[in-house]
Structures are given as structure tokens and as C-alpha cells.
Amino acid sequence: MADATPSSASSAASPTFDEVFCGLLPRLYRRAVMLAGSRQSAEDVVHEAYLKLAARPQRFLAHPEPYAYAFTAVLNVARDAYRKDRRQVLVDGMECVEEAGAGGGAGGSPGGAPGGWEGGVERRQAEIEAVRLLGRLSHRQAGIVILVDLDGYTIDQAAKIMKVHRGTAARHRARALDRLRAYLVESEHGQAGR
């Protein structure tokens, strides 16, 4: 009985790889959906990132910001998956993606809101729109926008996380924001012309 106390105290002092990674899962899944475009792809991306990080858990645990380290792995896996998928032409797959994206706000559509989702319709539509818009950016641009504008990191911190120069990160963010603004103006003009 006395031996159980020191082992539980030592595990409380230094969390395991799984404890730290599982604590980051909700945030990583939200960001992975923004990068991958769908819930299923995001789950695959996060799982693959987990496997990569689990191969060297000491690096992950020793990092001063485990979320930043894990986000970089998620971003790299999402980029690699995108490159691999881009080489393949799946006609049926594209039809499913378009239907799921269009039916997200219909409320009650078979591919619509995931089970257990607790947000309002407007919030869900905003999330779908954010995923759609971020999907039009390069992975590097989307990564910088997510880190700075959604996660609250500074440009310097985001540049360090993404392993690029500060100027490069600032340029990627500026170009990404310009593209996003242009897409929004396009969509407003498209809706006004109807």
C-alpha cells in the first residue's frame, strides 16, 4: 500500500506522453479539421501525428510548448496528405466532399452536423466557412493564420513554431489575409448579383 503512493506522486510530477497529448486532442482536432477540410481526414491527420510524436516521446515532453510541437507535426502530416491526395483523381470522393460541405447548415442532413456537437447553427456555419476559406490557402499560410489569428501566438512565436524566418511568416500571413479578403469580396459580389 505504501509503495503505491510514491509511484502515483512521481506520475503526477511528470505526466506521460499520452496524458499530455490527450490533453491537447480537442484543440488539435479543431485545427486539423481546418487544415484537412473534413472530420475524417482530421482524425487521420491527428492519428498520424500521434504516431510520429510517439516514436520520440522524450522530444515532445521536453519541448517548452507541447502544443506548438504537436501542431507542427499535424501541419506537416496534413501537408503531406494533401500532396499525396493531389496526385490522385477521385471523382466519387469529390462528390462526397461537395455534398457534405453544402449540407452542413441544412440541419438534419445525413452528412451534416456530427453527433454530440453542442454549438449553435450560426457557429457551425461559421466553422464550415472558416474550413472552406482556409482550404483555399497553402498549408503554410493556413498554419500561420491558425497560430496567430486563432491560437493567439505572436508572429515571432509562430515563425519559430513553423521554423521559418519572422519576415517569411509575416509575409505568409499578409498574403493569406489578402487572399481571404479577396475571397470574401468575391462571395459578396456573387451573392449580390443573384
Side-chain angles (χ1 to χ4, degrees):
M1 213 31 115
D3 292 337
T5 306
S7 65
S8 63
S10 66
S11 68
S14 60
T16 66
F17 172 81
D18 286 335
E19 290 171 342
V20 174
F21 192 85
C22 287
L24 299 174
L25 274 178
R27 194 170 171 194
L28 289 174
Y29 275 128
R30 284 193 305 272
R31 300 312 179 219
V33 167
M34 292 178 172
L35 292 168
S38 73
R39 206 167 111 195
Q40 292 82 11
S41 297
E43 289 173 356
D44 292 343
V45 164
V46 172
H47 178 72
E48 189 67 31
Y50 171 85
L51 294 175
K52 286 183 179 241
L53 295 174
R56 294 190 178 114
Q58 64 281 5
R59 283 187 181 177
F60 174 72
L61 292 173
H63 197 275
E65 274 197 77
Y67 169 75
Y69 195 81
F71 177 81
T72 302
V74 166
L75 182 65
N76 290 337
V77 170
R79 185 190 62 235
D80 293 346
Y82 172 77
R83 287 178 180 167
K84 183 177 146 188
D85 290 346
R86 193 173 60 184
R87 290 184 223 128
Q88 301 174 0
V89 178
L90 301 174
V91 177
D92 292 336
M94 286 305 297
E95 291 170 3
C96 293
V97 168
E98 289 172 4
E99 290 171 12
S109 65
W117 185 73
E118 297 176 0
V121 173
E122 294 84 14
R123 181 176 173 194
R124 180 64 180 152
Q125 287 175 336
E127 288 174 354
I128 290 170
E129 182 67 8
V131 168
R132 187 182 70 79
L133 288 172
L134 286 172
R136 293 179 155 204
L137 302 175
S138 72
H139 279 84
R140 199 170 283 232
Q141 289 174 338
I144 291 289
V145 169
I146 287 171
L147 286 171
V148 174
D149 298 302
L150 298 176
D151 289 339
Y153 287 97
T154 65
I155 292 286
D156 291 329
Q157 292 168 327
K160 190 173 182 180
I161 290 167
M162 305 235 355
K163 297 180 180 147
V164 296
H165 188 272
R166 183 199 190 286
T168 303
R171 189 172 56 249
H172 281 306
R173 181 172 177 261
R175 288 180 181 167
L177 294 177
D178 287 343
R179 286 180 78 180
L180 292 174
R181 283 184 199 104
Y183 293 139
L184 291 174
V185 168
E186 273 179 33
S187 66
E188 286 177 8
H189 288 308
Q191 290 176 356
R194 286 185 181 172

